[in-house]
Amino acid sequence: GENVEQHPSTLSVQEGDSAVIKCTYSDSASNYFPWYKQELGKGPQLIIDIRSNVGEKKDQRIAVTLNKTAKHFSLHITETQPEDSAVYFCAASRDYKLSFGAGTTVTVRA
Amino acid sequence: EAGVVQSPRYKIIEKKQPVAFWCNPISGHNTLYWYLQNLGQGPELLIRYENEEAVDDSQLPKDRFSAERLKGVDSTLKIQPAELGDSAVYLCASSFASGGNNEQFFGPGTRLTVL
């Protein structure tokens, strides 16, 4: 099955700085890569996703890049704000089945 | 529009007792998923329903776990008997369809503690 590795496990950044989270996947047939944000006591919420026919996607302060050859994808958050503090999960999917990374706890210091 | 609703939000039981979790998906979503999330880990799929049919239950520990979605809307996940290792958050998600990687919307989860 699919194996997704996510790094780093924790990330502390100064408000206004950028945050980068990296993931690798094992199944070359995976074609959908969503990123979820999970706040304490809540379920994961989709923040951005990318499909295998696209190399980069941006939505305001959030961007995701995908390198299919190397089988890795990354989340970039620019101009971080305190409300960006949360656990972020990457996932990889072929068809419907999401395989999640272990998560990155992001702390934005004011 | 209401999101995925789950209840209870928290449940504390003693080992060997039964427990059930309930999920109401987003209206119009015919695909429903149950996930298990252990502390410090990402969610792991337990079972997926297309309408009332369980189309993927390969990760469901069938000796003690069962699930149903009788009318293709609400779903119940049951554990009987519960073990200490079952302590986790149980997440329900729904999507409009499963093919083509449609966005999965998650509920807040039920946090189970087995003593």
Side-chain angles (χ1 to χ4, degrees), chain B residues 1 4-6 8 12 14 16 22 28 43 56-57 66-67 88 90 96 98 110 114-115:
Chain B
E1 178 183 297
V4 176
V5 179
Q6 290 188 247
I12 301 173
E14 293 190 347
K16 300 184 181 180
W22 175 81
D56 183 357
D57 63 356
S66 64
Y90 292 82
F96 180 68
S98 65
T110 296
V114 182
L115 302 176

Side-chain angles (χ1 to χ4, degrees), chain A residues 31-32 36 38 40-46 49 51 89 93-103, chain B residues 9 33 35 37 40-45 48 56 58-59 91 98-104 106-108:
Chain A
N31 55 11
Y32 175 62
Y36 286 84
Q38 187 172 27
L40 197 61
K42 298 183 178 180
Q45 180 184 15
L46 181 72
D49 57 12
R51 299 183 188 273
F89 291 97
S93 172
R94 179 173 62 175
D95 196 8
Y96 68 88
K97 191 168 185 177
L98 292 175
S99 295
F100 286 84
Chain B
R9 292 294 316 277
Y33 313 76
Y35 286 85
Q37 186 175 26
Q41 298 294 320
E44 300 172 37
L45 181 68
R48 175 176 71 100
D56 183 357
S58 58
Q59 301 303 310
L91 294 163
S98 65
N101 285 313
N102 288 273
E103 178 180 355
Q104 295 184 27
F106 284 83

Side-chain angles (χ1 to χ4, degrees), chain B residues 38-115:
Chain B
N38 286 305
L39 187 65
Q41 298 294 320
E44 300 172 37
L45 181 68
L46 289 172
I47 189 168
R48 175 176 71 100
Y49 280 93
E50 290 284 350
N51 298 305
E52 65 275 9
E53 182 181 0
V55 293
D56 183 357
D57 63 356
S58 58
Q59 301 303 310
L60 190 72
K62 299 180 185 61
D63 57 335
R64 297 184 300 107
F65 287 65
S66 64
E68 60 183 15
R69 194 184 185 200
L70 294 177
K71 296 183 179 180
V73 180
D74 295 1
S75 177
T76 302
L77 178 68
K78 298 178 181 178
I79 308 175
Q80 183 171 10
E83 296 179 351
L84 294 177
D86 297 331
S87 295
V89 175
Y90 292 82
L91 294 163
C92 179
S94 69
S95 65
F96 180 68
S98 65
N101 285 313
N102 288 273
E103 178 180 355
Q104 295 184 27
F105 295 82
F106 284 83
T110 296
R111 180 175 295 277
L112 173 66
T113 301
V114 182
L115 302 176

Side-chain angles (χ1 to χ4, degrees), chain A residues 14-60:
Chain A
Q14 190 70 37
E15 182 178 359
D17 288 350
S18 296
V20 179
I21 303 170
K22 299 182 179 182
C23 290
T24 61
Y25 62 99
S26 61
D27 187 351
S28 57
S30 289
N31 55 11
Y32 175 62
F33 306 90
W35 286 87
Y36 286 84
K37 176 183 181 182
Q38 187 172 27
E39 297 175 319
L40 197 61
K42 298 183 178 180
Q45 180 184 15
L46 181 72
I47 55 172
I48 195 168
D49 57 12
I50 191 168
R51 299 183 188 273
S52 58
N53 58 347
V54 176
E56 185 174 354
K57 184 177 179 180
K58 188 174 182 180
D59 182 4
Q60 299 182 337

Side-chain angles (χ1 to χ4, degrees), chain A residues 1-14:
Chain A
E2 175 67 274
N3 181 47
V4 178
E5 294 191 358
Q6 182 171 347
H7 300 280
S9 57
T10 61
L11 181 60
S12 179
V13 297
Q14 190 70 37

